[in-house]
Amino acid sequence: MAREIMESVHATSHVQRSFDPVTVRADFPALHQDVHGKPLVYLDTAASSQKPNAVIDAMTDFYRNDYSNVHRGVHLLSQRATDLYEGARSAVRRFINARNDREIVFTRGTTEAINLVSRSYGRDHIKEGDEIIISAMEHHANIVPWQMIRDMTGANLRIIPMNDDGELLIDEYKKLFNDRTKMVAVVHVSNALGTINPVKEMIEIAHSWDVPVLVDGAQSTPHMSIDVQDLDCDFFAFSAHKMYGPTGIGVLYGKEELLEILPPYQGGGDMILSVTFEKTLYNEIPNKFEAGTPNIAGAVGLKAAIDYLSQFDLDEIARYESELLQSATERVKEFTGLTVVGNAAQKASVLSFLLCAVHPHDIGTIFDQKGVAIRAGHHCAQPVMQRFSIPATARASFAMYNTTDDVDRLIDAIEYVLEVFS
Amino acid sequence: MDEIRELYQEVILDHNKNPRNFHVMENADAELEGYNPLCGDHYTFYVRYDDSETKRIAEVSFTGNGCAISKASASIMSAFIKGKTKDEAEHYFNLFHDIVVGKKSAADHIEELGKLAAFAGVSEFPMRVKCATLPWHTLHGAITGEDTTISTE
Ligand SMILES: Cc1ncc(COP(=O)(O)O)c(C=O)c1O
């Protein structure tokens, strides 16, 4: 008896479903449609992912059956909504292996999470002449908030340079530290180049200077398993919508001792213990950072996305996606005149490219007519474009639901562009 | 013809590849930048008027870069608009706009449109209307005395 119970506990914490892209595709209703008369090939997951039925249904069920505000009522629905919301927090904690639920703050997304840290940390801990290190391949979401703090405090931004393959220069990074360095904010996987940065090593270097590190995990969470304790990052930000969850919700993980000392980001309901006109006592973490009615259905959807992903062995998904990216890269490189932008040794999901003199925007339109959805533009990373002296790239990004058929269609679409522009 | 060929007509591809009047103008009477923040299309337009009383547009040139639609539109516009009065330029600015958003049919204006008719296909691609109209918005700004960058957003 005891042995049976042990085994069943064991089984639920392990892979329940072997990964197969074809059956995974069947879980995503939006993938099964025609655009411009052609079956859709969705290669724009880096911008936002499609959603599995599990997520759509969980959110609909919640609104149909359990919806109410959280943390407020004594009635049953409020209890259910609160349990689901807090249950989502625990699911996130397990998903990124945080120590406890108090370290998980729900935000609108990566952008808000970074703004929260830059504002709250910046207010008390960044002074004139201090330095904040970011990298040359950051998304605007991890540049602009730090510029705002720089301009408020008189601090300076230092930029980790990268090489022509799109890899950060770690030796140069080491040289940026001094006793005025107050924060490092770096992207885990670049949305413009696909580079996987050696964040663990970078965090170790920063910690040797006693400098905390924020990792922008918007593009890593969908494609690899994340262990914030192993990384030892101080903050980790990500968005549900890039990892098969809904829009409007994301997460800031922060080490408990850091979250404790940060002042609140916004004021309002839920983040207080008591309010008089003279004085307000703030709530404990994480509620201190969650002013107002949160995105409850979003949290439910995020938990469903985590549960969906957790059926699989995430390393197996990562291997599959990596092989797909590699074979797509090799095949597109056979076109003379095609240049891949971002050739780091360690990459995930993203294939950014230029095609002869054809502007990426034209590529995007022509692909679309062939049913192939990609992103064309600067990908909210204009400094990356400036680094490579290009106005934009065409970007195909791969996810667990893409297959080699999608790569075939990508190749056909490139041929068609060349034909039109011949 | 499929919609893509309709959009990327020979004339458009030709002007994209070999843009006319694609240079800086030293003695310009007006100069203005046009920028489409969404896709990064970025051009500077130069205008010179003649000495006549009506101040006809003697010359338009441009520099910069962007997609095939915006570049061809700039090139074809720069050739088309030569010799027109400001009022006539205004008329074509409006007509071109109405054609590319599909409000008017190019077939009804085929004579006066000349090469501009090549842009009729844009109306099937709402996401690309701004590419085609960016040069016209910028020229319009330049001749009506705007002095800040024209943005399509
Ligand atoms: C690397 C990276 N950081 C930050 C963001 C911003 O995420 P969100 O728009 O969900 O806040 C994105 C998404 O575009 C991203 O790719």
Side-chain angles (χ1 to χ4, degrees):
Chain A
M1 183 67 192
R3 185 148 176 270
E4 258 176 51
I5 291 171
M6 282 290 290
E7 272 174 5
S8 70
V9 168
H10 199 180
T12 52
S13 64
H14 268 70
V15 180
Q16 301 156 18
R17 183 172 159 188
S18 68
F19 173 71
D20 167 19
V22 177
T23 58
V24 161
R25 281 183 73 78
D27 295 334
F28 289 78
L31 295 176
H32 307 281
Q33 63 179 303
D34 287 358
V35 295
H36 306 297
K38 313 265 178 350
L40 170 66
V41 173
Y42 191 76
L43 298 177
D44 198 21
T45 297
S48 202
S49 63
Q50 294 300 339
K51 320 301 173 200
N53 283 316
V55 168
I56 300 166
D57 293 346
M59 294 177 77
T60 313
D61 286 350
F62 172 63
Y63 275 127
R64 281 193 194 287
N65 302 312
D66 304 313
Y67 180 75
S68 175
N69 210 329
V70 290
H71 305 144
R72 295 189 186 179
V74 291
H75 57 78
L76 180 65
L77 290 190
S78 180
Q79 187 59 46
R80 278 194 211 149
T82 305
D83 289 349
L84 286 166
Y85 184 67
E86 293 304 325
R89 200 187 303 279
S90 304
V92 170
R93 190 248 307 145
R94 285 191 297 274
F95 183 63
I96 61 173
N97 194 31
R99 282 168 208 82
N100 68 57
D101 289 5
R102 291 155 54 80
E103 297 180 314
I104 308 299
V105 179
F106 284 123
T107 65
R108 279 197 298 128
T110 308
T111 303
E112 192 178 51
I114 297 172
N115 275 276
L116 190 164
V117 174
S118 63
R119 280 308 156 102
S120 291
Y121 184 83
R123 200 180 91 182
D124 291 348
H125 295 87
I126 297 177
K127 307 257 174 322
E128 186 172 351
D130 284 348
E131 295 183 355
I132 302 157
I133 298 178
I134 64 173
S135 87
M137 62 174 82
E138 298 308 315
H139 186 281
H140 295 165
N142 206 21
I143 301 174
V144 184
W146 301 109
Q147 283 175 333
M148 291 164 78
I149 282 300
R150 173 197 66 190
D151 296 344
M152 277 182 234
T153 59
N156 296 306
L157 283 187
R158 306 291 304 274
I159 313 297
I160 313 162
M162 62 177 155
N163 65 22
D164 291 341
D165 286 334
E167 293 167 320
L168 294 180
L169 302 174
I170 300 302
D171 285 339
E172 297 301 315
Y173 166 66
K174 288 179 185 162
K175 292 184 204 153
L176 295 178
F177 284 90
N178 57 55
D179 51 18
R180 295 182 307 278
T181 311
K182 287 291 145 61
M183 173 65 83
V184 173
V186 66
V187 70
H188 197 175
V189 172
S190 157
N191 67 310
L193 302 167
T195 312
I196 304 174
N197 287 315
V199 286
K200 190 172 173 181
E201 180 189 348
M202 295 172 77
I203 290 163
E204 223 176 283
I205 294 165
H207 285 174
S208 72
W209 287 86
D210 271 337
V211 173
V213 180
L214 176 146
V215 175
D216 170 353
Q219 297 291 344
S220 58
T221 29
H223 304 296
M224 56 187 69
S225 61
I226 302 295
D227 182 336
V228 290
Q229 292 191 60
D230 178 56
L231 291 177
D232 200 23
C233 54
D234 301 277
F235 299 103
F236 189 91
F238 64 98
S239 301
H241 73 93
K242 310 245 191 217
M243 47 170 282
Y244 316 110
T247 54
I249 189 149
V251 170
L252 171 67
Y253 156 82
K255 281 184 183 163
E256 186 168 4
E257 59 272 25
L258 278 166
L259 289 182
E260 289 286 5
I261 61 162
L262 293 194
Y265 172 52
Q266 292 177 331
D270 267 351
M271 53 78 73
I272 51 89
L273 286 178
S274 73
V275 178
T276 64
F277 284 115
E278 287 68 41
K279 188 169 170 54
T280 289
L281 280 180
Y282 299 132
N283 207 335
E284 312 258 297
I285 63 167
N287 308 72
K288 182 170 84 176
F289 298 105
E290 294 180 5
T293 299
N295 184 352
I296 313 166
V300 169
L302 170 55
K303 173 168 189 298
I306 289 173
D307 289 347
Y308 181 80
L309 275 170
S310 304
Q311 308 171 81
F312 305 105
D313 174 354
L314 294 185
D315 293 337
E316 199 180 329
I317 296 179
R319 265 195 307 278
Y320 170 76
E321 289 180 355
S322 171
E323 278 166 23
L324 197 61
L325 174 64
Q326 215 160 9
S327 87
T329 305
E330 277 160 24
R331 289 181 65 190
V332 300
K333 276 184 167 169
E334 282 171 19
F335 290 99
T336 44
L338 189 145
T339 317
V340 173
V341 182
N343 291 289
Q346 300 296 324
K347 277 186 69 171
S349 175
V350 168
L351 178 52
S352 249
F353 62 93
L354 303 169
L355 190 54
C356 311
V358 186
H359 193 278
H361 224 205
D362 297 311
I363 299 174
T365 294
I366 297 172
F367 273 32
D368 183 48
Q369 286 294 308
K370 289 283 179 194
V372 181
I374 58 152
R375 173 105 183 255
H378 52 60
H379 318 297
C380 296
Q382 288 183 354
V384 174
M385 302 300 121
Q386 288 148 16
R387 166 65 178 75
F388 290 100
S389 305
I390 52 180
T393 74
R395 179 188 74 186
S397 51
F398 297 91
M400 63 192 293
Y401 44 59
N402 293 118
T403 64
T404 48
D405 286 351
D406 296 341
V407 179
D408 292 343
R409 295 276 304 281
L410 170 70
I411 300 296
D412 290 348
I414 295 173
E415 274 167 6
Y416 185 53
V417 171
L418 292 172
E419 193 187 309
V420 171
F421 272 79
S422 67
Chain B
M1 222 166 21
D2 65 18
E3 281 176 357
I4 281 296
R5 302 284 181 181
E6 194 77 52
L7 179 65
Y8 294 101
Q9 298 197 7
E10 280 306 318
V11 221
I12 290 181
L13 293 173
D14 170 48
H15 277 259
N16 173 50
K17 213 164 170 186
N18 307 298
R20 324 293 199 265
N21 306 308
F22 191 57
H23 53 78
V24 177
M25 194 189 292
E26 296 299 344
N27 53 347
D29 293 315
E31 175 182 331
L32 194 63
E33 271 179 74
Y35 180 49
N36 179 345
L38 186 68
C39 50
D41 293 348
H42 201 167
Y43 298 100
T44 302
F45 287 85
Y46 305 86
V47 185
R48 192 171 57 76
Y49 303 111
D50 70 10
D51 299 332
S52 71
E53 222 167 276
T54 48
K55 285 189 59 175
R56 284 173 184 278
I57 296 167
E59 205 186 342
V60 170
S61 74
F62 72 105
T63 57
N65 70 66
C67 65
I69 305 298
S70 62
K71 190 173 265 182
S73 175
S75 171
I76 291 174
M77 177 187 78
S78 70
F80 181 89
I81 214 71
K82 204 170 160 173
K84 305 279 193 287
T85 64
K86 284 186 187 182
D87 284 348
E88 285 164 347
E90 175 89 19
H91 166 77
Y92 285 108
F93 166 68
N94 289 323
L95 179 62
F96 184 80
H97 186 266
D98 288 348
I99 299 289
V100 295
V101 299
K103 225 159 106 184
K104 286 184 179 159
S105 146
D108 297 341
H109 301 268
I110 206 75
E111 295 243 324
E112 64 171 329
L113 280 173
K115 274 191 181 164
L116 300 183
F119 292 92
V122 174
S123 64
E124 295 297 325
F125 296 85
M127 308 284 279
R128 307 304 300 274
V129 167
K130 283 176 178 173
C131 308
T133 55
L134 175 66
W136 286 89
H137 278 291
T138 314
L139 177 71
H140 185 251
I143 63 185
T144 54
E146 290 273 351
D147 55 8
T148 49
T149 301
I150 297 290
S151 165
T152 55
E153 285 306 294

